[in-house]
Amino acid sequence: MPIEQQSVHLVAATVGFLSLGLLWLTVLWGTTLRVGWGLTRVRHQTLYGVHQTMALVGLTLGLVHALAQLAVPGGPVHLLDEWVPFTNGEDPLGVGLGVISLETLLALTVSVLLQRMLGYHRWRMLHISAYLAFTLLCGHVLISGSDAQSAGVRLLVAAGWLSTLVLRVATTYRAAALPKLVAERLAARLRGRQVLVNVDPGRCVRFGFCEHEAPEIFQLRGDGRLTYRPAVPTGHVEQVIQAARVCPARAIVLSRPATTVVMSGDPAEV
Ligand code: HEM
Ligand code: SF4
């Protein structure tokens, strides 16, 4: 390989492996967010911020890696191959998998900006495509990477991919959102009664999914602050339970107003 090609290759490969590592960490971190690990010990904004930062840096490096291919003098990748999958003349499958993966991750990141409009369930469905995108990314590295031909590197990439799936499957029953059955029992207990809402400001990360589920009760203001009605009218109880169910930070606490107050019998204590 001529020296100019070698230097571009070195930069592109280094940036590519850094991106792969960061996106791997992003997926693992995302899975733990969903399960709620660490939520009691670390500030929620910090946990979400780390996930977001790793995702954005990993994705940016992925884009730099892809664009660097165009800078290889006389290289086999052209502008069209970068955006339209399977059009590369030399390695259509490998480059194609990389293109689909990057485009899926870009769509997923844009969906974060639209999350309030999409609502929790649609946003989550889009977000789960991260596992597929990461799988395609690993396929791209294994097929196209000239530095990924050694058994050690291949094993490392395969182990990284497997770890994301193992963690996801192992945590399936420990998702942070309130399970459907528990929510249904809660709804049966609270139906027709007055319910009080409290949002823990230390936990709330202001994603606004609660507003999507119960707009009459929760409102995310333009300045990013959440306002809510602490007393829920009886007709809105189901919506509020649904909001508590989807809140990724488990910040919404529902309670019933006390019906009996027991006062101390000793007047000296009053
Ligand atoms: C850039 C902004 C991003 C934000 C604000 C964000 C936010 C979140 C949040 C709030 C969760 C928890 C969802 C829940 O409780 O159900 C989550 C989960 C997750 N995130 Fe992200 N994320 C971002 C980007 C990414 C990217 C680029 C990837 C892929 C590399 C990714 C991979 C994941 C995964 C795999 C999960 C677990 C999904 C599941 O199993 O349900 N995230 N993310
Ligand atoms: S209460 Fe939950 S759903 Fe509502 S804005 Fe805060 S974190 Fe998001």
Side-chain angles (χ1 to χ4, degrees), residues 230-246:
V232 182
T234 44
H236 295 285
V237 171
E238 304 269 350
Q239 291 169 12
V240 170
I241 291 172
Q242 185 57 13
R245 193 169 112 70
V246 303

Side-chain angles (χ1 to χ4, degrees), residues 70-207:
L70 298 175
V72 178
V77 180
H78 305 101
L79 195 58
L80 184 73
D81 319 346
E82 296 259 335
W83 301 106
V84 185
F86 312 120
T87 47
N88 181 260
E90 210 162 281
D91 175 19
L93 182 63
V95 175
L97 293 184
V99 170
I100 301 178
S101 165
L102 206 56
E103 287 176 353
T104 309
L105 288 173
L106 280 173
L108 183 158
T109 307
V110 171
S111 82
V112 170
L113 301 174
L114 306 175
Q115 64 196 21
R116 277 176 70 190
M117 219 171 77
L118 291 170
Y120 179 71
H121 296 289
R122 261 175 270 161
W123 174 80
R124 177 110 189 275
M125 280 302 120
L126 267 168
H127 218 77
I128 281 177
S129 67
Y131 294 104
L132 176 69
F134 188 72
T135 302
L136 297 180
L137 191 60
C138 292
H140 161 71
V141 175
L142 291 177
I143 296 172
S144 304
S146 51
D147 298 306
Q149 298 311 316
S150 75
V153 176
R154 294 181 90 77
L155 212 65
L156 208 64
V157 174
W161 169 74
L162 202 63
S163 66
T164 60
L165 289 198
V166 168
L167 187 67
R168 181 61 171 81
V169 172
T171 55
T172 299
Y173 297 105
R174 304 200 47 188
L178 203 58
K180 206 171 172 193
L181 197 67
V182 178
E184 275 164 11
R185 277 200 210 128
L186 196 65
R189 209 144 46 87
L190 297 177
R191 197 166 289 130
R193 294 171 189 254
Q194 229 227 320
V195 172
L196 300 181
V197 173
N198 187 29
V199 177
D200 182 342
R203 283 179 164 241
C204 174
V205 278
R206 294 167 187 88
F207 272 111

Side-chain angles (χ1 to χ4, degrees), residues 22 26 48-58:
L22 276 173
T26 307
Y48 287 99
V50 170
H51 178 63
Q52 210 166 328
T53 309
M54 285 195 305
L56 290 177
V57 177

